[in-house]
Amino acid sequence: MDQNTINHLRELEAESIFVLREVAAQFERPVMLFSGGKDSIVMFHLARKAFFPGKVPFPLMHIDTGHNFQEALDYRDDLCEKTGTRLIVKYVQESIDQGRVAEEKGPNASRNALQTTTLLDALEDEKFDCAMGGGRRDEEKARAKERFFSHRDDFGQWDPKNQRPELWNIFNGKKHVGEHFRVFPISNWTEMDVWQYILLENIEMPSLYYTHEREVFLRDGTWLAKSDCLTLKPGENYETKQVRCRTIGDITCTGLTLSKANTLEEIIQEVASTRVTERGGRADDKRSEAAMEDRKKQGYF
Amino acid sequence: MELLRFTTAGSVDDGKSTLIGRLLYDSKAIFEDQMEAIENASVNKGEEQVNLALLTDGLRAEREQGITIDVAYRYFATPERKFIIADTPGHVQYTRNMVTGASTANAALILIDARNGVIEQTRRHAYIASLLQIPHVVVCINKMDLVDFDQETYDRIEKQFRSVAEKLDIKNFYFIPMSARDGDNVVDPSTRCPWYTGKTLLQMLETLPVGEDLNRNDARFPVQFVIRPQSDEFHDYRGFAGRVASGEFHVGQEVKVFPGEQVSKIQSINLYEEQLDRAIAPQSVSIQLEDEIDISRGSLISAADNCPKSSQQIEAMICWMSETPMRVRGKYTIKHTSSDVLGIIQEVVNKVDINTLEIAEDTTVGLNDIARIKLKTSKPLFYDSYKQNRITGSFVIIDEATNNTVGAGMII
């Protein structure tokens, strides 16, 4: 590579920073969704780069299902304190208490889908006109169709058949009152890019991503963590295993990977040799072939 | 590792999805759970073979109808390069989608069915590749297995395409005989056409020069955002945040700022805590100047001795992307680099019939039409011709009533 080109990670970085700055310039009240997972961590890191030495000009918002990995919450609070970033937390439990949503029943009950209502209510209450998410197009086939700037109608819905054409690097964030945008600054990144970039930039990560011993049980071919939110079905038992998270979501539907990867280099090696997708372990995606698309149409991230 | 963005074009049955599936499959970018999902889906649909197209059709409606509706983006990497594929639909709203996919592409793959040769669609694909100035066009002469890998057929199609390309402005084009279904010359070289000694498609994608595509000569920096921390530590900091559109900037360089044409020098270039000596396209940085000049979003910083054009009268080629026809004398928002201005479409100079590549007789501009227009803007644009610069030479047209992006423009 000569001195007149930049490598793919730096090109992706430059593109994402460009998108983040477009958000800051085009919207009145943007917010960045933050879960404590690797994609939101990278997205926030890029935001700090985009506006340095100024502060990140928008708050972070966590839609808390109440079914979390404690490590992710600790990381989140730490990061906000260290960087002086405003954090808004909205609780799915409050939506349940207000009767806005009903908790799912059965052994596979998950609060993941319930987040949509809490999120849409939060956007309306706080009058946010743009919510940035760490979604990537390589995650899932419905996401592969997503624009950087994704228009949502005044019900928060995504209409995949009627998306705005997105040309060159020109992003059209114009909207009517009541509508909003979802913006995905790291759309073009893959799982591998994210890890390589974390290594390149030496970004601190929650301990969950590294191997550790944990009590887990096997359900439908997926290792799930022992927690108060899930009860064992007959035939299921807790076992202690060496595991790590490949993706962090709601504890009830986040599959853990059996792994010995203890460093970023080892994680990258593991990702390079793996034969299943990152979301292969997400129970909520397996519910139907269009599970993600259906959730997104309703206003999910 | 470098990044190559490419787009695919081909009509419905030319085997586009199969080619993408083959590229992903043979380069081991398909995961077991994805494969399992499409195997199950294929069985559920009663299909005999695993349908690789199901891999790329991500929406419920697409799977129901067996067609691709919207552009989707796919990713794969080899040890040589990382690739982003803009997978565009074959027929529905054709031109608009191909233009969308082509706008950021370094290369376009144009598929031709070896049995049919160059058809109207091929001319249309070639025209769009030329209009959008895609630096490299790879003509994939597919389904060679169905013509017994006959060299004469291949040579005839190559000649046909060359005669189309002669009338256009395509910089580099290449031809590959292949069978996407069987994998000949896609990732692995074919044993069935010994007369072809060139690269496989993947080898070609791994070696097309990417760096040369960018404009290295004209230093252009549209300002997106002004960073003013006003903190104790950075009290006087005033950084102009943006992405280098083309050329390069270095510390100490004399620059000119538009509008206003004031001259200053670059004091520092920052990327986060890093101080850079120089910045090149497509880096996102922030620039500080030595003098206090009025600069805001929509301003453009250029080399002092190499400036963009500046005018309120623009001539451009446009691709119309809306079901509602273009209103001549109508007002629209024109979004060009980081500035939004009002624009009036003054006149349709002519419309191109992209099937015949001739000038069309009527001048109404509807969905998927391509036309040359004259545009007057409320404020001057600082621009280069699209041929010279894909970033400062492009704009989109937005309908003020619906806020929709209704047109894509390339400045002449």
Side-chain angles (χ1 to χ4, degrees):
Chain A
M1 203 175 312
D2 64 54
Q3 57 163 0
N4 283 322
T5 54
I6 60 175
N7 79 29
H8 80 284
L9 291 176
R10 292 301 178 203
E11 185 169 342
L12 290 172
E13 176 189 62
E15 179 179 75
S16 300
I17 289 176
F18 177 84
V19 172
L20 287 157
R21 287 168 171 172
E22 281 303 293
V23 168
Q26 291 196 34
F27 296 98
E28 294 283 323
R29 283 177 66 82
V31 67
M32 180 175 273
L33 301 173
F34 188 85
S35 64
K38 65 180 185 315
D39 300 315
S40 48
I41 291 169
V42 163
M43 180 169 62
F44 178 64
H45 181 82
L46 291 162
R48 291 180 69 200
K49 282 198 154 189
F51 303 102
F52 183 86
K55 279 208 166 153
V56 173
F58 34 77
L60 300 183
M61 181 161 77
H62 183 205
I63 304 299
D64 186 337
T65 61
H67 294 172
N68 301 291
F69 287 98
Q70 186 58 42
E71 294 95 325
L73 297 185
D74 293 345
Y75 179 95
R76 175 197 78 185
D77 295 341
D78 240 34
L79 184 71
C80 289
E81 201 188 307
K82 262 193 265 176
T83 57
T85 308
R86 189 177 149 225
L87 173 71
I88 300 165
V89 184
K90 296 285 177 177
Y91 297 93
V92 170
Q93 185 62 50
E94 280 177 18
S95 304
I96 295 171
D97 295 345
Q98 290 161 3
R100 299 273 296 122
V101 289
E103 186 116 51
E104 288 185 357
K105 296 201 167 56
N108 285 323
S110 163
R111 287 183 167 184
N112 202 30
L114 307 186
Q115 291 180 85
T116 302
T117 301
T118 313
L119 170 66
L120 291 175
D121 287 352
L123 294 177
E124 204 174 318
D125 292 349
E126 306 270 346
K127 298 193 168 48
F128 290 128
D129 56 358
C130 170
M132 284 166 276
R136 309 187 323 262
R137 288 166 177 160
D138 80 320
E139 275 180 83
E140 210 277 337
K141 53 191 182 296
R143 286 227 198 268
K145 298 274 172 181
E146 186 72 86
R147 300 284 190 264
F148 275 95
F149 272 46
S150 182
H151 177 258
R152 301 298 161 110
D153 67 13
D154 49 1
F155 291 94
Q157 298 179 106
W158 182 55
D159 180 0
K161 282 190 183 177
N162 187 26
Q163 302 194 74
R164 288 183 183 168
E166 210 158 74
L167 297 128
W168 299 289
N169 60 347
I170 307 175
F171 298 105
N172 172 4
K174 289 191 189 298
K175 60 178 174 5
H176 294 294
V177 177
E179 300 172 346
H180 73 273
F181 269 79
R182 301 290 171 82
V183 173
F184 303 95
I186 61 167
S187 282
N188 274 336
W189 299 51
T190 61
E191 181 187 16
M192 186 53 122
D193 298 326
V194 167
W195 283 113
Q196 286 177 339
Y197 186 73
I198 289 168
L199 176 67
L200 182 71
E201 293 281 296
N202 196 19
I203 303 171
E204 192 193 327
M205 300 301 287
S207 57
L208 281 166
Y209 283 112
Y210 301 96
T211 188
H212 57 284
E213 273 191 358
R214 184 178 287 269
E215 280 197 273
V216 292
F217 66 99
L218 195 61
R219 175 175 293 173
D220 300 332
T222 303
W223 291 103
L224 293 170
K226 179 183 179 182
S227 73
D228 297 338
C229 322
L230 286 170
T231 42
L232 293 183
K233 288 197 274 190
E236 292 173 343
N237 299 301
Y238 293 122
E239 296 172 60
T240 303
K241 294 273 183 196
Q242 283 285 121
V243 292
R244 70 174 201 88
C245 282
R246 201 170 154 196
T247 160
I248 299 178
D250 193 280
I251 199 166
T252 59
C253 59
T254 299
L256 297 154
T257 308
L258 299 178
S259 167
K260 293 201 161 51
N262 204 20
T263 62
L264 289 172
E265 287 86 351
E266 284 168 4
I267 290 173
I268 286 169
Q269 258 178 11
E270 189 180 284
V271 170
S273 60
T274 184
R275 297 302 308 141
V276 289
T277 61
E278 186 183 336
R279 296 194 82 91
R282 290 280 273 258
D284 46 332
D285 286 346
K286 291 185 178 167
R287 291 187 174 188
S288 92
E289 211 187 340
M292 172 71 88
E293 179 183 348
D294 292 344
R295 268 181 287 147
K296 278 168 64 66
K297 277 183 188 161
Q298 288 156 13
Y300 189 76
F301 359 99
Chain B
M1 205 156 60
E2 280 174 323
L3 192 59
L4 179 94
R5 298 169 200 249
F6 67 93
T7 183
T8 54
S11 44
V12 189
D13 293 316
D14 288 348
K16 215 157 46 70
S17 297
T18 313
L19 178 63
I20 293 171
R22 176 59 67 183
L23 263 178
L24 295 174
Y25 188 75
D26 285 359
S27 61
K28 305 196 169 43
I30 298 180
F31 293 100
E32 280 166 11
D33 55 317
Q34 289 175 316
M35 202 61 201
E36 202 181 303
I38 64 168
E39 277 166 10
N40 289 339
S42 301
V43 170
N44 289 342
K45 283 180 199 295
E47 294 185 26
E48 283 173 18
Q49 280 182 319
V50 174
N51 184 352
L52 284 175
L54 290 173
L55 195 73
T56 53
D57 287 339
L59 301 175
R60 189 190 284 278
E62 292 178 327
R63 288 190 298 274
E64 280 166 7
Q65 299 170 45
I67 54 162
T68 313
I69 292 172
D70 202 347
V71 182
Y73 295 87
R74 316 276 159 206
Y75 304 83
F76 72 103
T78 68
E80 306 298 320
R81 240 178 213 174
K82 175 182 157 99
F83 300 96
I84 301 180
I85 314 175
D87 177 16
T88 61
H91 53 21
V92 183
Q93 299 172 337
Y94 186 78
T95 308
R96 150 175 132 158
N97 282 304
M98 188 178 162
V99 168
T100 301
S103 68
T104 52
N106 305 104
L109 311 188
I110 296 182
L111 270 81
I112 296 178
D113 185 328
R115 295 170 303 176
N116 305 330
V118 170
I119 55 172
E120 209 170 86
Q121 292 257 41
T122 317
R123 274 195 288 276
R124 212 191 303 177
H125 306 153
Y127 179 78
I128 294 168
S130 154
L131 182 72
L132 271 287
Q133 291 283 297
I134 301 178
H136 304 278
V137 171
V138 182
V139 183
C140 302
I141 302 175
N142 191 26
K143 304 199 182 180
M144 284 300 291
D145 52 315
L146 300 180
V147 296
D148 298 323
F149 286 90
D150 177 38
Q151 186 177 3
E152 267 175 43
T153 306
Y154 171 82
D155 289 342
R156 195 180 62 242
I157 296 171
E158 176 177 335
K159 212 170 136 198
Q160 284 175 347
F161 189 89
R162 283 184 190 280
S163 80
V164 173
E166 260 170 34
K167 295 181 215 148
L168 301 170
D169 183 19
I170 299 176
K171 283 178 218 149
N172 306 295
F173 49 93
Y174 321 85
F175 299 87
I176 305 178
M178 66 173 61
S179 163
R181 197 189 61 185
D182 302 337
D184 293 79
N185 288 334
V186 178
V187 171
D188 303 310
S190 173
T191 51
R192 297 196 280 179
C193 55
W195 45 268
Y196 175 77
T197 52
K199 290 174 177 162
T200 65
L201 176 60
L202 186 64
Q203 286 168 343
M204 196 169 276
L205 292 171
E206 284 179 334
T207 52
L208 288 175
V210 181
E212 293 166 21
D213 299 349
L214 287 164
N215 175 327
R216 300 266 167 232
N217 304 320
D218 310 314
R220 305 281 184 265
F221 186 84
V223 175
Q224 280 184 279
F225 191 86
V226 181
I227 299 175
R228 287 222 63 180
Q230 292 175 307
S231 57
D232 293 343
E233 194 185 348
F234 297 100
H235 190 76
D236 296 320
Y237 188 95
R238 214 158 67 102
F240 306 109
R243 194 172 185 190
V244 180
S246 56
E248 72 162 84
F249 291 90
H250 56 265
V251 173
Q253 182 178 5
E254 197 163 89
V255 293
K256 202 177 255 188
V257 179
F258 295 84
E261 304 209 25
Q262 293 199 68
V263 175
S264 184
K265 272 189 183 160
I266 294 183
Q267 189 182 69
S268 72
I269 302 173
N270 282 69
L271 173 58
Y272 198 41
E273 289 162 330
E274 231 177 311
Q275 296 264 358
L276 308 180
D277 296 330
R278 66 197 270 273
I280 57 169
Q283 283 183 301
S284 282
V285 295
S286 75
I287 289 178
Q288 278 192 284
L289 298 181
E290 286 182 0
D291 306 282
E292 292 239 344
I293 299 175
D294 175 24
I295 298 182
S296 55
R297 177 172 168 85
S299 300
L300 182 119
I301 300 174
S302 91
D305 56 358
N306 170 352
C307 295
K309 291 174 208 159
S310 157
S311 173
Q312 285 176 258
Q313 297 282 347
I314 307 289
E315 248 187 273
M317 298 299 295
I318 57 118
C319 172
W320 199 251
M321 305 192 138
S322 165
E323 278 88 8
T324 313
M326 185 173 81
R327 289 171 282 121
V328 177
R329 307 297 304 163
K331 266 189 210 152
Y332 292 94
T333 299
I334 305 296
K335 205 168 179 57
H336 170 256
T337 68
S338 53
S339 70
D340 289 6
V341 299
L342 279 179
I344 292 177
I345 293 168
Q346 292 181 298
E347 184 191 335
V348 177
V349 180
N350 59 46
K351 190 170 96 177
V352 182
D353 180 332
I354 59 171
N355 295 322
T356 60
L357 308 184
E358 307 288 328
I359 300 295
E361 276 179 19
D362 87 302
T363 54
T364 49
V365 178
L367 182 64
N368 292 326
D369 281 341
I370 287 173
R372 181 175 177 141
I373 61 161
K374 282 185 179 164
L375 183 73
K376 183 172 188 237
T377 56
S378 60
K379 286 184 210 160
L381 299 185
F382 315 108
Y383 66 95
D384 299 285
S385 71
Y386 184 79
K387 260 187 199 178
Q388 228 179 322
N389 197 319
R390 275 170 110 179
I391 308 240
T392 55
S394 57
F395 61 87
V396 301
I397 303 172
I398 297 168
D399 186 325
E400 287 186 286
T402 61
N403 290 327
N404 282 332
T405 301
V406 293
M410 288 141 278
I411 302 172
I412 293 167

